Amino acid sequence: MAPPPPRRRDVTVSDVAKHARVSKATAARALGDYGAVSDTVRDRVQAAAEALGYRPNELARSMNTGKSNTIGVIVGDIENPYFGLAMRGISDAAKEEGFDVILVNTSEDVDAEIDAVRVLLDKRVDGLIVAPASSGETGHLRDVYNSGRPLVLLDRRVDGLDVDVIEADMASVAFEATRHLVDVGHRRIGFISTLDVKGPYHDGLDLRVSSVADRLQGVLGAQQEAGIPDPGSLVRFADGSAGIRPVARELLALPDAPTAIIASDSLIALAVLGTLQELGLRVPDDVSFVMFDDFEWTTLTTPPLTVISQPIYDMGVAAGKTVIARVQSRAVPERRAFQATLVQRESVAPPRASAGGAIEALSAS
Amino acid sequence: MAPPPPRRRDVTVSDVAKHARVSKATAARALGDYGAVSDTVRDRVQAAAEALGYRPNELARSMNTGKSNTIGVIVGDIENPYFGLAMRGISDAAKEEGFDVILVNTSEDVDAEIDAVRVLLDKRVDGLIVAPASSGETGHLRDVYNSGRPLVLLDRRVDGLDVDVIEADMASVAFEATRHLVDVGHRRIGFISTLDVKGPYHDGLDLRVSSVADRLQGVLGAQQEAGIPDPGSLVRFADGSAGIRPVARELLALPDAPTAIIASDSLIALAVLGTLQELGLRVPDDVSFVMFDDFEWTTLTTPPLTVISQPIYDMGVAAGKTVIARVQSRAVPERRAFQATLVQRESVAPPRASAGGAIEALSAS
DNA sequence: TTACCTTGTGAGTCCGGTCTCAATCAGCTA
DNA sequence: TAGCTGATTGAGACCGGACTCACAAGGTAA
């Protein structure tokens, strides 16, 4: 590796001005494209800038315009394809409007999120898109709001915070998916999500992530409507993605194991399917399976999976357009409620006649 | 939506200084944690800052320190899990060192990349990580180098540019994977990648993306070594992800269709597998399949897929650590050559005895 | 007591732009 | 020819911090 070139002093407006033999103010006007400048002078200044290789210092510019043309995005996990795709949407929307995006990954850690908000605010981003890790801690989100900078929540609401939220209607599609399972005969339906709550699920538990709460509400609601007793008993939360497989195993080892499982996102689905595979359980013969999010690989498994599809990219675009519209005090785009749909493929079938659990079914076959 | 709160003027050091009845310089010292300040004054200033809700303006700070504590990352497509995972690594490394990350997505468009480099340089990022869309246009990368700011290339080299590169050794695993196919009897091996080149592949074609060129070199090399004539005839490049399926179809419809296909990344693999599925071709019975990148879903297909695994996350971390080390003029971390490995699962089998192409095999069954 | 440090503090400059304001100048009107 | 108008231009303040420098106060050594 060659020695790095000396970091030369950058060319500034003053340098350009000197070279073009005009005042700094005039050069700045010609370069910044504001105020009035005669054509001849403008040309001379631009030629000088070209010759010197002048590049504006956006930091300095931001400092006195108060606009950084940058929005901050705070998500739990960009490795999660959900956020990868949403990020793509945000990024595309931002580019179209001439904005840049600072991305911060919090690993779903509230403290990291609080920190991220502070840092981005200090960096003077013009607006923020956050998928909040918890609806419990919201002081930092209020700070954003109070700073006067627009905040848009993605995928998750926070109660009592009156800001734009981009989310899909999860409760009704979860209801629909669950009723589909009930309709084909399932009475023991498991639901697995990742969430940092301690202890088993019980009525009235504060879920802290609205998108999960909504999904669960739909799942439970459909079962209650069907007269299934205590559907909450087959709900499980894993703390972090490493915890999913153990939780899935535990659920499937139950004497009254579920005959169908709903996975709350694609990462969970992957872990659950992996566990099923390890246990030698077949989908849908032994266990029916439904998952949230529709990525291409879900059509390539055997069988293709029944999924709940959300317009993730579009939601990302909407989030981007919305913050930027707010930043520019323009009317926000109309469309902010997104529809999720149940895509029926082949991972749902009637449960085995056997009354036993999944593992039991296995030994019976 | 309630009306946004008025964007109040931010609290500055001067405000804090006034409130604590000290000079601006002293307040700045107490807050910025530099220079000498007596304990009593420091406490008074910090109390005042607390009371006023002072937050430093990082823009102003960056302006005269010349450091923004921000690195720029330019990738072709964050929707691609490869970059999602790498981004996660970069992001984690950055956070550890107190850096933020500005992410720009170029859609693999060179002009967008040139623009992105300019914008990020103007924003005064301290360093840049780029997965260059082309080794052809490199002027903008030279500009980074000349600006004196460190540049790290991820996944792809650029000839004649003496900067740090984080990449895995693709040529040798590609060779190994291909020889594996040859060993089980394949003599017609297809290779599909996305790349913006016009016309069919021919010897000496400038591939412009080193990671693809390396893979191809290994693929072709193994076949040449085995005495397979004209292996280049089954190489196909699609222009953008939309073009993969047509290309795959064309390849499979050939009278001398390949009996095995190698997909150059996971997005391509998805499209190829989808096409295979549509055509009713089974893996590995009708066509053997090997792909680059090892994501969890590749174990859930039927059959599980033979893949080439790279330590993507670690490479992201290395890229992050490397730029930051350069920014701080520290020694760069030792490890910069990464090993990719062939993970044999069940998508490779001996070709059918039939001499015909894949489609022909279909009708024969 | 005087000289010499050391530590703490304030005044003011600088970073690289934007922006206000006053001055200059050419063209026109009366 | 004096007066007015609009277009250009330059001087300098300002954004919010970091940092240089001069100076004052207190402590120590000779």
Side-chain angles (χ1 to χ4, degrees):
Chain A
M1 196 82 11
R7 178 144 179 185
R8 345 165 286 235
R9 220 181 105 299
D10 292 315
V11 176
T12 73
V13 236
S14 294
D15 299 327
V16 175
K18 214 166 296 169
H19 195 266
R21 278 163 298 117
V22 294
S23 71
K24 184 179 122 187
T26 300
R29 272 189 286 256
L31 295 169
D33 206 37
Y34 61 92
V37 192
S38 68
D39 291 346
T40 57
V41 170
R42 184 194 318 283
D43 290 349
R44 209 165 74 228
V45 171
Q46 279 170 350
E50 182 76 18
L52 265 37
Y54 168 79
R55 295 267 70 216
N57 182 329
E58 292 297 338
L59 254 42
R61 183 170 290 177
S62 294
M63 240 189 74
N64 36 31
T65 57
K67 316 256 88 195
S68 60
N69 269 13
T70 305
I71 61 177
V73 176
I74 302 177
V75 300
D77 181 14
I78 359 132
E79 190 187 332
N80 186 326
Y82 177 94
F83 289 120
L85 190 47
M87 187 66 199
R88 175 83 202 254
I90 293 171
S91 180
D92 286 354
K95 180 180 300 183
E96 196 162 317
E97 306 276 359
F99 277 68
D100 289 305
V101 178
I102 299 189
L103 174 67
V104 181
N105 195 287
T106 63
S107 308
E108 298 289 0
D109 174 45
V110 179
D111 289 332
E113 182 177 305
I114 291 174
D115 209 62
V117 166
R118 243 207 5 248
V119 170
L120 292 182
L121 249 26
D122 291 352
K123 281 220 155 113
R124 296 316 193 249
V125 295
D126 292 333
L128 227 36
I129 295 174
V130 182
S134 162
S135 57
E137 298 263 359
T138 59
H140 58 302
L141 298 178
R142 269 168 228 290
D143 287 347
V144 179
Y145 185 71
N146 291 333
S147 81
R149 271 165 283 192
L151 167 65
V152 169
L153 301 182
L154 179 62
D155 184 54
R156 305 164 182 184
R157 295 185 307 280
V158 164
D159 294 328
L161 200 57
D162 186 25
V163 299
D164 299 296
V165 181
I166 306 292
E167 61 180 343
D169 180 0
M170 283 297 143
S172 63
V173 74
F175 186 96
E176 181 188 352
T178 308
R179 200 173 49 193
H180 172 51
L181 289 170
V182 170
D183 284 349
V184 302
H186 292 278
R187 308 272 300 171
R188 295 198 307 280
I189 300 171
F191 176 81
I192 302 182
S193 186
T194 42
L195 209 56
D196 178 20
V197 292
K198 45 204 155 308
Y201 174 78
H202 59 84
D203 251 30
L205 179 67
D206 177 13
L207 261 29
R208 310 237 296 274
V209 173
S210 71
S211 56
V212 173
D214 291 353
R215 289 165 205 212
L216 188 55
Q217 182 200 320
V219 168
L220 262 25
Q223 293 183 69
Q224 274 147 6
E225 200 193 68
I228 295 174
D230 194 18
S233 65
L234 295 177
V235 171
R236 293 292 182 281
F237 295 115
D239 180 8
S241 50
I244 304 169
R245 284 170 177 263
V247 153
R249 275 182 178 275
E250 180 264 329
L251 203 52
L252 290 164
L254 247 35
D256 253 15
T259 58
I261 291 183
I262 300 175
S264 185
D265 73 34
S266 70
L267 258 25
I268 296 165
L270 251 7
V272 171
L273 290 171
T275 305
L276 252 19
Q277 196 180 50
E278 278 168 24
L279 294 174
L281 292 168
R282 285 160 310 162
V283 172
D285 310 37
D286 299 316
V287 180
S288 285
F289 186 79
V290 176
M291 63 179 279
F292 281 79
D293 295 344
D294 182 18
F295 293 103
E296 203 166 356
W297 63 265
T298 60
T299 65
L300 296 174
T301 50
T302 308
L305 304 174
T306 291
V307 302
I308 288 166
S309 171
Q310 316 181 46
I312 303 175
Y313 176 83
D314 293 341
M315 291 167 68
V317 170
K321 282 191 188 304
T322 302
V323 237
I324 294 174
R326 293 265 179 219
V327 166
Q328 302 175 335
S329 312
R330 296 195 330 249
V332 304
E334 352 53 65
R335 184 123 179 284
R336 276 181 295 144
F338 289 83
Q339 206 54 47
T341 55
L342 177 66
V343 180
Q344 293 191 24
R345 293 202 274 250
E346 299 160 34
S347 59
V348 173
R352 294 176 155 275
S354 151
I359 298 283
E360 191 174 328
L362 221 204
S363 51
S365 73
Chain B
M1 197 82 9
R7 179 145 179 185
R8 345 167 282 234
R9 220 182 106 296
D10 292 314
V11 177
T12 73
V13 244
S14 295
D15 299 326
V16 174
K18 213 166 298 168
H19 195 267
R21 277 163 297 116
V22 294
S23 72
K24 188 179 113 184
T26 300
R29 272 188 286 255
L31 295 169
D33 206 37
Y34 60 92
V37 192
S38 67
D39 291 347
T40 59
V41 168
R42 184 194 316 283
D43 290 349
R44 208 164 75 226
V45 171
Q46 280 170 350
E50 181 77 19
L52 265 38
Y54 168 79
R55 296 266 68 218
N57 183 329
E58 291 297 339
L59 253 42
R61 184 171 295 186
S62 295
M63 243 188 75
N64 37 29
T65 57
K67 316 257 89 196
S68 59
N69 269 9
T70 305
I71 61 177
V73 176
I74 302 177
V75 301
D77 180 14
I78 359 132
E79 190 188 332
N80 186 327
Y82 178 94
F83 289 121
L85 189 47
M87 187 63 199
R88 174 84 202 254
I90 293 171
S91 182
D92 286 354
K95 180 180 302 183
E96 195 163 317
E97 305 275 0
F99 277 67
D100 289 305
V101 178
I102 299 188
L103 174 67
V104 182
N105 194 287
T106 62
S107 309
E108 296 289 1
D109 174 44
V110 179
D111 290 331
E113 181 178 306
I114 292 173
D115 210 61
V117 166
R118 241 204 8 246
V119 169
L120 293 182
L121 249 26
D122 290 353
K123 281 220 154 106
R124 295 317 193 248
V125 295
D126 292 333
L128 228 36
I129 296 174
V130 182
S134 163
S135 58
E137 298 262 358
T138 59
H140 57 302
L141 297 178
R142 268 168 228 290
D143 288 346
V144 179
Y145 186 71
N146 292 333
S147 80
R149 271 165 285 193
L151 167 66
V152 169
L153 301 182
L154 179 62
D155 183 55
R156 304 163 183 186
R157 294 185 308 280
V158 164
D159 294 328
L161 199 57
D162 185 25
V163 299
D164 298 297
V165 181
I166 305 293
E167 61 180 343
D169 180 0
M170 283 297 142
S172 63
V173 262
F175 187 96
E176 182 189 352
T178 308
R179 200 174 47 194
H180 171 52
L181 289 170
V182 170
D183 284 349
V184 301
H186 293 278
R187 307 274 300 171
R188 295 197 307 279
I189 299 172
F191 176 81
I192 302 182
S193 185
T194 42
L195 209 57
D196 178 20
V197 294
K198 46 206 155 308
Y201 174 78
H202 58 85
D203 252 29
L205 178 65
D206 177 13
L207 261 28
R208 309 236 296 275
V209 174
S210 71
S211 56
V212 173
D214 291 353
R215 289 165 205 211
L216 188 55
Q217 182 200 319
V219 168
L220 260 28
Q223 294 183 70
Q224 274 148 5
E225 199 193 68
I228 296 174
D230 194 18
S233 64
L234 295 177
V235 170
R236 293 293 181 281
F237 296 115
D239 180 8
S241 50
I244 304 168
R245 283 170 178 263
V247 153
R249 276 182 178 274
E250 180 264 330
L251 201 54
L252 289 163
L254 248 35
D256 253 14
T259 57
I261 291 182
I262 300 175
S264 185
D265 71 35
S266 70
L267 257 24
I268 295 164
L270 251 6
V272 171
L273 290 171
T275 305
L276 253 19
Q277 196 181 49
E278 278 167 25
L279 294 174
L281 292 167
R282 286 161 310 164
V283 173
D285 309 39
D286 299 316
V287 180
S288 285
F289 186 79
V290 176
M291 62 179 280
F292 282 79
D293 295 343
D294 181 18
F295 294 103
E296 203 166 355
W297 64 264
T298 59
T299 65
L300 296 174
T301 50
T302 308
L305 306 173
T306 291
V307 302
I308 288 165
S309 172
Q310 316 181 47
I312 304 175
Y313 176 82
D314 293 341
M315 290 168 69
V317 170
K321 282 192 189 301
T322 303
V323 236
I324 293 173
R326 292 267 179 217
V327 166
Q328 302 175 335
S329 312
R330 296 197 328 251
V332 305
E334 351 55 64
R335 182 124 179 282
R336 276 181 295 142
F338 289 83
Q339 205 54 46
T341 55
L342 177 66
V343 179
Q344 293 191 25
R345 293 203 275 251
E346 298 160 34
S347 60
V348 173
R352 295 175 155 274
S354 151
I359 297 282
E360 191 175 328
L362 222 204
S363 52
S365 73

